[in-house]
Structure formats: structure tokens, C-alpha cells
Amino acid sequence: MTFTYNPHLAYHKIVGILATLTLCGCFDREAALVRSKAEFELVATTNIGLPPNNAEQLIKQWGDNNLKDPNSAIYSQIGTPYKAMTQIKIFDGSTMQRVVYRVYGCINSKNSYGGYAGKQFYIFDIDHGHIINALEIGEDYRCTKAQ
């Protein structure tokens, strides 16, 4: 018997488990809201300086170092930096939370076969003028909407 991973079914399992925990009272909704509010207040009140005015340049530098064919990259819909909470790994493997500036954008570049892969949505965390996290979300409606 072979097992094939189906992300659609995994999603429904997670939703089912969360729904069950919520209905049986095992999931403390109020505690989650308090944590969310505290995190929001921390992000809003933490002084991390002015937002970077060179976010697009930083993203292009990141692309030069990380894309298979950086010369083919087409950057679009680069957002405005906003403050957000992120987790970063420390040298010992543990993680810590940090307030950073977050920017999103779409990148379309050539893949290993020489064809364009299609616009991919990315989220970049910028801290003191450097991208410390880059997360590729993949194809996303934000990359296909009218500019």
C-alpha cells in the first residue's frame, strides 16, 4: 500500500482539528486574541527607525544573489514597507521574535529550462538595511491583479 501526500486533505485535517478544539473548549480563543493584541501593540510601539527607502534595490540585490537567472528577472508590484513581527534563527538553532520592516513583491524569472516560471509572490523582511528573511509564497492572486 502506498501513501500519497495530498496537501488539500492535510489542510482539511488541520481545519477539522482546530474546529474540534474550538467547539470542545480546548482552544482558548480569548487567550489567542490577547496574544494577538499584545503582538500588535509591540509592533506598533517598537521604534526600529524609518522604513527603508531602497526596498526595491534591496530586493533586486537579493535576486542577483539567489535567482537562477538574475538577468532575466522582472520585478513588479513591490509594496510599501510596513512593520511586522518575524522569527529569526539564532546561531544555536533556536528562534527569537523581532520587529522588522516587511515588503512584498512579485518576481518572474527564468528557470533551469530557460523558460519564465511565472510571477511568484515573495515576502521580504528587512532589518537595518539588509534582507534577513525571504519567503517565496508562489503563484498568488496579488501577482495577477491589474497594476
Side-chain angles (χ1 to χ4, degrees):
M1 179 176 169
T2 57
F3 174 75
T4 305
Y5 175 73
N6 185 336
H8 187 66
L9 291 177
Y11 171 78
H12 285 290
K13 278 186 180 178
I14 292 170
V15 170
I17 291 169
L18 288 176
T20 303
L21 291 173
T22 302
L23 291 174
C24 75
C26 301
F27 179 73
D28 191 351
R29 184 170 182 255
E30 287 185 31
L33 289 174
V34 168
R35 282 191 305 273
S36 297
K37 184 178 179 188
E39 186 176 299
F40 175 79
E41 288 175 359
L42 178 66
V43 169
T45 58
T46 300
N47 182 5
I48 57 172
L50 296 172
N53 57 0
N54 62 340
E56 188 167 351
Q57 178 186 354
L58 292 172
I59 291 170
K60 288 179 180 180
Q61 286 174 349
W62 177 90
D64 289 344
N65 296 324
N66 293 283
L67 297 174
K68 289 192 184 285
D69 185 357
N71 294 327
S72 71
I74 301 169
Y75 300 88
S76 62
Q77 292 164 288
I78 306 297
T80 303
Y82 61 94
K83 287 199 300 189
M85 182 75 73
T86 193
Q87 285 194 342
I88 57 172
K89 285 189 178 181
I90 306 174
F91 65 92
D92 65 356
S94 62
T95 60
M96 67 177 274
Q97 290 189 322
R98 186 173 194 128
V99 178
V100 296
Y101 280 105
R102 182 166 287 164
V103 179
Y104 59 86
C106 302
I107 303 173
N108 190 3
S109 65
K110 290 185 179 178
N111 57 24
S112 301
Y113 300 107
Y116 277 94
K119 289 182 179 179
Q120 303 296 308
F121 186 74
Y122 285 84
I123 297 174
F124 299 95
D125 290 338
I126 300 173
D127 187 33
H128 294 94
H130 296 66
I131 292 179
I132 60 168
N133 284 332
L135 179 63
E136 179 183 353
I137 304 299
E139 292 183 19
D140 190 276
Y141 74 94
R142 290 169 278 204
C143 290
T144 57
K145 69 180 184 179
Q147 294 187 16

